[in-house]
Amino acid sequence: MTIAWTEAKLPRPPEGAGLPMQQHPTHGAVCTALGRAVRWLEWRDDGRVMATAQVLSRAWPLVGRVALVSRGPVLAPGLPTETARDALAALIATLRAGHRGVIVTPEPVAGADPMAGGPWLSMMTGGHVARLPLAPDICALRAGLHQKWRNRLRRAESGGLAVAETALPDDPGHWLLREEAAQARARRYGRLPPAYALAWAQAGETLRVSAQAGDRPIAGMLFLIHRPWASYHMGWSSPEGRAANAHTLLLWRAIVALKARGIAALELGLLDTETAPDLARFKLGTGAAAVPLGASWLDAPGSRTVAALARAAAFAQSRISR
Protein backbone atom coordinates (compact mmCIF):
# COMPACT_ATOMS: atom_id res chain seq x y z
CA MET A 1 0.00 0.00 0.00
CA THR A 2 1.31 3.42 -1.00
CA ILE A 3 0.89 5.93 1.82
CA ALA A 4 1.11 9.59 0.84
CA TRP A 5 0.76 12.38 3.39
CA THR A 6 -0.50 15.66 1.91
CA GLU A 7 -1.08 19.16 3.26
CA ALA A 8 -4.57 19.83 4.56
CA LYS A 9 -6.59 22.71 6.02
CA LEU A 10 -7.88 21.61 9.43
CA PRO A 11 -8.54 18.02 8.28
CA ARG A 12 -11.38 16.02 9.77
CA PRO A 13 -10.02 13.06 11.75
CA PRO A 14 -10.96 9.55 10.64
CA GLU A 15 -14.54 8.61 11.41
CA GLY A 16 -14.96 7.05 14.84
CA ALA A 17 -11.52 8.08 16.09
CA GLY A 18 -10.95 9.68 19.48
CA LEU A 19 -9.23 13.04 19.45
CA PRO A 20 -6.59 13.86 22.10
CA MET A 21 -6.25 17.52 23.00
CA GLN A 22 -2.84 17.76 21.30
CA GLN A 23 -4.35 16.75 17.95
CA HIS A 24 -7.47 18.93 18.08
CA PRO A 25 -7.69 21.98 15.79
CA THR A 26 -8.31 24.25 18.79
CA HIS A 27 -4.91 23.25 20.18
CA GLY A 28 -3.40 24.20 16.85
CA ALA A 29 -5.21 27.55 16.88
CA VAL A 30 -4.00 28.24 20.42
CA CYS A 31 -0.40 27.35 19.55
CA THR A 32 -0.61 29.61 16.50
CA ALA A 33 -1.92 32.46 18.66
CA LEU A 34 1.01 31.92 21.03
CA GLY A 35 3.54 32.14 18.20
CA ARG A 36 4.12 28.49 17.28
CA ALA A 37 4.14 27.24 13.67
CA VAL A 38 1.44 24.66 13.00
CA ARG A 39 0.61 22.59 9.92
CA TRP A 40 -1.81 19.79 9.14
CA LEU A 41 -1.28 16.66 7.09
CA GLU A 42 -3.63 13.86 6.12
CA TRP A 43 -3.48 10.45 4.48
CA ARG A 44 -6.38 9.46 2.28
CA ASP A 45 -7.05 6.12 0.62
CA ASP A 46 -9.62 6.12 -2.17
CA GLY A 47 -11.11 9.33 -0.79
CA ARG A 48 -11.43 8.02 2.77
CA VAL A 49 -9.47 9.77 5.52
CA MET A 50 -7.18 7.15 7.06
CA ALA A 51 -5.13 9.41 9.32
CA THR A 52 -4.51 13.05 10.20
CA ALA A 53 -1.59 14.75 11.91
CA GLN A 54 -1.31 18.14 13.59
CA VAL A 55 2.35 19.12 13.54
CA LEU A 56 4.06 21.79 15.61
CA SER A 57 7.36 23.15 14.36
CA ARG A 58 10.06 25.25 15.98
CA ALA A 59 13.74 26.08 15.56
CA TRP A 60 16.05 24.61 18.21
CA PRO A 61 19.39 26.33 18.88
CA LEU A 62 22.34 24.45 17.33
CA VAL A 63 19.94 21.85 15.91
CA GLY A 64 17.62 23.49 13.40
CA ARG A 65 13.91 23.14 12.76
CA VAL A 66 12.23 20.24 14.59
CA ALA A 67 8.71 18.89 14.02
CA LEU A 68 6.59 17.52 16.87
CA VAL A 69 3.60 15.21 16.48
CA SER A 70 2.24 14.81 20.01
CA ARG A 71 -0.25 11.98 20.65
CA GLY A 72 -0.62 11.49 16.95
CA PRO A 73 -1.18 10.92 14.19
CA VAL A 74 -4.88 10.17 14.62
CA LEU A 75 -5.43 6.84 12.88
CA ALA A 76 -8.62 5.24 11.61
CA PRO A 77 -9.99 2.75 14.17
CA GLY A 78 -9.10 -0.84 13.40
CA LEU A 79 -6.03 -0.04 11.35
CA PRO A 80 -3.59 -3.01 11.53
CA THR A 81 -0.43 -2.42 13.52
CA GLU A 82 1.85 -2.95 10.54
CA THR A 83 -0.15 -0.47 8.45
CA ALA A 84 0.01 2.02 11.33
CA ARG A 85 3.79 1.61 11.46
CA ASP A 86 4.04 2.15 7.70
CA ALA A 87 1.89 5.27 8.03
CA LEU A 88 4.15 6.62 10.77
CA ALA A 89 7.29 5.88 8.75
CA ALA A 90 5.79 7.71 5.77
CA LEU A 91 4.80 10.66 7.96
CA ILE A 92 8.30 10.93 9.42
CA ALA A 93 9.84 10.79 5.94
CA THR A 94 7.50 13.55 4.78
CA LEU A 95 8.36 15.77 7.73
CA ARG A 96 12.11 15.12 7.49
CA ALA A 97 12.05 16.75 4.06
CA GLY A 98 11.67 20.14 5.76
CA HIS A 99 12.97 19.51 9.27
CA ARG A 100 16.27 18.63 10.85
CA GLY A 101 14.52 16.32 13.28
CA VAL A 102 11.09 14.81 13.96
CA ILE A 103 9.66 13.79 17.33
CA VAL A 104 6.56 11.59 17.34
CA THR A 105 4.54 10.39 20.32
CA PRO A 106 1.97 7.99 18.83
CA GLU A 107 -1.10 6.55 20.47
CA PRO A 108 -0.97 2.75 20.99
CA VAL A 109 -2.55 0.55 18.33
CA ALA A 110 -4.19 -2.65 19.59
CA GLY A 111 -2.56 -1.95 22.97
CA ALA A 112 0.99 -1.72 21.59
CA ASP A 113 3.26 1.13 20.54
CA PRO A 114 3.29 1.01 16.72
CA MET A 115 6.84 2.42 16.58
CA ALA A 116 8.37 -0.12 18.98
CA GLY A 117 11.04 -2.22 17.32
CA GLY A 118 11.53 0.27 14.51
CA PRO A 119 14.69 2.17 13.58
CA TRP A 120 13.82 5.27 15.60
CA LEU A 121 15.44 6.41 18.83
CA SER A 122 13.30 6.20 21.97
CA MET A 123 13.62 9.44 23.95
CA MET A 124 11.11 8.73 26.72
CA THR A 125 8.99 5.74 27.63
CA GLY A 126 5.22 6.08 27.53
CA GLY A 127 3.20 6.75 30.66
CA HIS A 128 -0.49 6.30 31.42
CA VAL A 129 -3.39 8.74 31.29
CA ALA A 130 -6.63 8.45 33.27
CA ARG A 131 -9.56 8.30 30.84
CA LEU A 132 -13.21 8.08 31.85
CA PRO A 133 -15.73 7.03 29.19
CA LEU A 134 -18.93 9.06 29.49
CA ALA A 135 -21.17 6.79 27.39
CA PRO A 136 -22.85 5.05 30.40
CA ASP A 137 -25.87 6.78 31.91
CA ILE A 138 -25.46 8.92 35.00
CA CYS A 139 -26.62 6.17 37.36
CA ALA A 140 -24.01 3.79 35.93
CA LEU A 141 -21.30 6.45 36.13
CA ARG A 142 -22.13 7.10 39.77
CA ALA A 143 -22.17 3.39 40.52
CA GLY A 144 -18.72 3.18 38.92
CA LEU A 145 -17.22 5.55 41.48
CA HIS A 146 -14.98 3.87 44.02
CA GLN A 147 -16.67 3.54 47.40
CA LYS A 148 -14.44 6.05 49.23
CA TRP A 149 -14.75 8.51 46.35
CA ARG A 150 -18.54 8.17 46.41
CA ASN A 151 -18.63 8.67 50.18
CA ARG A 152 -16.63 11.91 49.87
CA LEU A 153 -19.01 13.04 47.15
CA ARG A 154 -22.02 12.46 49.39
CA ARG A 155 -20.43 14.49 52.17
CA ALA A 156 -19.61 17.31 49.75
CA GLU A 157 -23.13 17.31 48.32
CA SER A 158 -24.58 17.72 51.81
CA GLY A 159 -22.18 20.54 52.70
CA GLY A 160 -24.21 23.37 51.21
CA LEU A 161 -21.59 24.55 48.73
CA ALA A 162 -22.81 26.74 45.88
CA VAL A 163 -21.52 25.35 42.57
CA ALA A 164 -21.37 27.32 39.32
CA GLU A 165 -20.76 25.97 35.81
CA THR A 166 -19.63 28.52 33.23
CA ALA A 167 -17.06 29.09 30.51
CA LEU A 168 -13.71 30.66 31.39
CA PRO A 169 -14.10 34.43 30.87
CA ASP A 170 -11.63 36.46 28.84
CA ASP A 171 -9.93 37.82 31.93
CA PRO A 172 -6.17 37.40 32.52
CA GLY A 173 -6.72 38.31 36.16
CA HIS A 174 -9.44 35.76 36.78
CA TRP A 175 -9.21 34.34 40.31
CA LEU A 176 -8.83 30.72 39.14
CA LEU A 177 -5.87 31.57 36.91
CA ARG A 178 -4.34 33.70 39.65
CA GLU A 179 -4.78 31.17 42.43
CA GLU A 180 -3.59 28.24 40.31
CA ALA A 181 -0.48 30.18 39.26
CA ALA A 182 0.38 30.84 42.90
CA GLN A 183 -0.24 27.17 43.68
CA ALA A 184 2.08 26.09 40.87
CA ARG A 185 4.85 28.34 42.17
CA ALA A 186 4.43 27.05 45.71
CA ARG A 187 4.37 23.38 44.71
CA ARG A 188 6.91 23.79 41.89
CA TYR A 189 5.07 21.85 39.24
CA GLY A 190 5.14 22.56 35.54
CA ARG A 191 2.08 23.31 33.44
CA LEU A 192 0.98 25.29 30.42
CA PRO A 193 0.89 29.05 31.02
CA PRO A 194 -2.37 30.87 31.83
CA ALA A 195 -2.21 32.42 28.36
CA TYR A 196 -2.88 28.96 26.91
CA ALA A 197 -6.17 28.61 28.80
CA LEU A 198 -7.24 32.12 27.83
CA ALA A 199 -6.45 31.49 24.16
CA TRP A 200 -8.39 28.22 24.29
CA ALA A 201 -11.39 30.03 25.77
CA GLN A 202 -11.27 32.46 22.85
CA ALA A 203 -10.83 29.80 20.15
CA GLY A 204 -12.88 26.90 21.50
CA GLU A 205 -15.00 25.51 24.33
CA THR A 206 -14.24 25.47 28.04
CA LEU A 207 -16.06 24.40 31.19
CA ARG A 208 -15.24 26.07 34.50
CA VAL A 209 -16.80 24.64 37.65
CA SER A 210 -16.34 26.49 40.92
CA ALA A 211 -17.48 26.25 44.52
CA GLN A 212 -18.25 29.15 46.80
CA ALA A 213 -18.76 29.55 50.51
CA GLY A 214 -20.74 32.73 50.91
CA ASP A 215 -19.33 35.16 48.35
CA ARG A 216 -15.82 33.64 48.34
CA PRO A 217 -14.57 31.07 45.81
CA ILE A 218 -12.96 28.15 47.64
CA ALA A 219 -12.21 25.79 44.73
CA GLY A 220 -12.29 25.66 40.96
CA MET A 221 -11.55 23.41 38.01
CA LEU A 222 -11.12 24.14 34.33
CA PHE A 223 -11.79 21.67 31.52
CA LEU A 224 -10.90 22.10 27.84
CA ILE A 225 -13.37 20.58 25.39
CA HIS A 226 -11.95 19.00 22.24
CA ARG A 227 -14.85 17.05 20.82
CA PRO A 228 -15.51 14.20 21.02
CA TRP A 229 -13.34 14.28 24.19
CA ALA A 230 -12.52 16.77 26.94
CA SER A 231 -9.54 17.17 29.26
CA TYR A 232 -9.01 18.39 32.81
CA HIS A 233 -6.68 21.38 32.52
CA MET A 234 -6.21 22.98 35.94
CA GLY A 235 -7.61 23.12 39.43
CA TRP A 236 -7.23 24.97 42.70
CA SER A 237 -8.65 24.47 46.17
CA SER A 238 -8.30 26.49 49.35
CA PRO A 239 -7.86 24.77 52.73
CA GLU A 240 -11.58 25.33 53.26
CA GLY A 241 -12.31 23.71 49.91
CA ARG A 242 -10.16 20.70 50.71
CA ALA A 243 -11.90 20.25 54.06
CA ALA A 244 -15.26 20.31 52.28
CA ASN A 245 -14.17 17.81 49.56
CA ALA A 246 -14.95 20.53 47.02
CA HIS A 247 -12.83 19.02 44.24
CA THR A 248 -14.72 15.75 44.50
CA LEU A 249 -18.00 17.60 44.05
CA LEU A 250 -16.67 19.79 41.25
CA LEU A 251 -15.26 16.88 39.28
CA TRP A 252 -18.54 15.00 39.56
CA ARG A 253 -20.50 18.06 38.44
CA ALA A 254 -18.12 18.41 35.50
CA ILE A 255 -18.66 14.76 34.55
CA VAL A 256 -22.42 15.31 34.53
CA ALA A 257 -22.15 18.56 32.56
CA LEU A 258 -19.76 17.17 29.96
CA LYS A 259 -21.91 14.11 29.41
CA ALA A 260 -24.91 16.41 28.87
CA ARG A 261 -22.90 18.19 26.15
CA GLY A 262 -22.35 14.93 24.31
CA ILE A 263 -18.70 14.46 25.28
CA ALA A 264 -17.66 10.81 24.82
CA ALA A 265 -14.68 10.66 27.19
CA LEU A 266 -12.93 12.77 29.80
CA GLU A 267 -9.17 12.64 30.21
CA LEU A 268 -7.94 13.50 33.70
CA GLY A 269 -4.24 13.77 32.93
CA LEU A 270 -1.13 11.68 33.42
CA LEU A 271 -0.93 9.21 36.27
CA ASP A 272 2.11 9.50 38.53
CA THR A 273 1.92 6.81 41.18
CA GLU A 274 5.43 7.50 42.48
CA THR A 275 5.51 11.23 43.22
CA ALA A 276 1.74 11.94 43.33
CA PRO A 277 0.01 8.71 44.44
CA ASP A 278 -2.91 10.51 46.15
CA LEU A 279 -3.71 12.43 42.97
CA ALA A 280 -3.51 9.23 40.92
CA ARG A 281 -5.95 7.53 43.30
CA PHE A 282 -8.28 10.53 43.07
CA LYS A 283 -8.35 10.32 39.28
CA LEU A 284 -8.85 6.55 39.19
CA GLY A 285 -11.49 6.82 41.91
CA THR A 286 -13.87 8.21 39.29
CA GLY A 287 -13.85 4.83 37.58
CA ALA A 288 -11.39 6.05 34.97
CA ALA A 289 -9.08 3.53 33.33
CA ALA A 290 -5.30 3.82 33.18
CA VAL A 291 -4.72 4.04 29.42
CA PRO A 292 -1.14 3.53 28.14
CA LEU A 293 0.52 6.16 25.98
CA GLY A 294 3.18 5.59 23.37
CA ALA A 295 6.83 6.49 23.87
CA SER A 296 8.44 9.60 22.38
CA TRP A 297 10.54 8.75 19.33
CA LEU A 298 13.18 10.80 17.53
CA ASP A 299 14.34 10.68 13.95
CA ALA A 300 17.29 13.01 13.31
CA PRO A 301 20.81 12.82 11.87
CA GLY A 302 22.64 10.06 13.75
CA SER A 303 19.61 8.97 15.81
CA ARG A 304 19.12 5.71 13.93
CA THR A 305 22.73 4.72 14.55
CA VAL A 306 22.34 5.44 18.26
CA ALA A 307 19.07 3.48 18.29
CA ALA A 308 20.72 0.50 16.58
CA LEU A 309 23.58 0.53 19.09
CA ALA A 310 21.08 0.70 21.98
CA ARG A 311 19.15 -2.27 20.61
CA ALA A 312 22.36 -4.25 20.15
CA ALA A 313 23.45 -3.47 23.71
CA ALA A 314 20.04 -4.49 25.07
CA PHE A 315 20.17 -7.73 23.10
CA ALA A 316 23.68 -8.51 24.37
CA GLN A 317 22.64 -7.81 27.94
CA SER A 318 19.65 -10.12 27.59
CA ARG A 319 21.93 -12.92 26.33
CA ILE A 320 24.28 -12.41 29.27
CA SER A 321 21.48 -12.46 31.85
CA ARG A 322 20.05 -15.77 30.61
Side-chain angles (χ1 to χ4, degrees), residues 118-210:
W120 308 283
L121 178 63
S122 177
M123 300 175 62
M124 183 181 299
T125 58
H128 288 77
V129 65
R131 184 184 302 159
L132 177 66
L134 300 182
D137 61 38
I138 292 298
C139 291
L141 286 170
R142 184 143 183 151
L145 301 174
H146 290 199
Q147 185 64 51
K148 290 183 179 179
W149 211 99
R150 190 161 52 245
N151 291 341
R152 288 194 296 268
L153 175 59
R154 290 197 189 102
R155 289 195 295 271
E157 288 174 328
S158 63
L161 295 178
V163 177
E165 302 169 10
T166 64
L168 179 69
D170 186 13
D171 176 11
H174 188 270
W175 63 264
L176 179 56
L177 300 178
R178 186 177 64 251
E179 295 288 2
E180 194 277 336
Q183 175 180 270
R185 289 192 298 270
R187 298 182 184 177
R188 298 183 179 180
Y189 62 79
R191 87 278 193 256
L192 291 169
Y196 183 93
L198 288 168
W200 191 290
Q202 294 172 356
E205 297 178 81
T206 62
L207 171 65
R208 177 180 64 90
V209 288
S210 58

Side-chain angles (χ1 to χ4, degrees), residues 305-321:
T305 300
V306 175
L309 291 172
R311 287 193 299 271
F315 177 75
Q317 183 61 40
S318 68
R319 294 292 298 270
I320 293 172
S321 61

Side-chain angles (χ1 to χ4, degrees), residues 232-308:
Y232 166 83
H233 184 65
M234 69 167 61
W236 165 81
S237 184
S238 68
E240 185 177 356
R242 289 191 290 273
N245 293 302
H247 264 186
T248 304
L249 177 59
L250 295 186
L251 182 49
W252 174 250
R253 290 287 293 267
I255 289 169
V256 174
L258 291 168
K259 178 176 174 57
R261 295 191 187 192
I263 301 304
L266 170 61
E267 290 204 337
L268 296 171
L270 293 172
L271 294 170
D272 184 350
T273 58
E274 293 186 4
T275 61
D278 291 342
L279 181 57
R281 281 192 293 269
F282 178 74
K283 294 174 181 180
L284 296 175
T286 63
V291 179
L293 301 176
S296 295
W297 301 89
L298 171 68
D299 192 52
S303 65
R304 297 196 178 200
T305 300
V306 175

Side-chain angles (χ1 to χ4, degrees), residues 18-110:
L19 198 53
M21 183 190 80
Q22 295 87 342
Q23 286 296 310
H24 195 275
T26 302
H27 176 69
V30 169
C31 291
T32 299
L34 297 179
R36 296 289 296 274
V38 182
R39 64 189 289 206
W40 297 273
L41 299 174
E42 66 179 11
W43 161 39
R44 288 177 176 264
D45 183 37
D46 196 23
R48 178 191 173 198
V49 176
M50 303 299 294
T52 59
Q54 183 163 257
V55 185
L56 272 61
S57 178
R58 65 176 296 181
W60 284 13
L62 306 179
V63 175
R65 187 154 292 277
V66 176
L68 171 64
V69 184
S70 182
R71 295 196 63 183
V74 180
L75 303 170
L79 205 65
T81 302
E82 286 302 317
T83 304
R85 180 177 294 185
D86 291 344
L88 281 155
L91 174 62
I92 291 170
T94 299
L95 292 174
R96 279 298 306 275
H99 296 84
R100 183 70 171 169
V102 178
I103 300 173
V104 180
T105 307
E107 296 284 87
V109 175

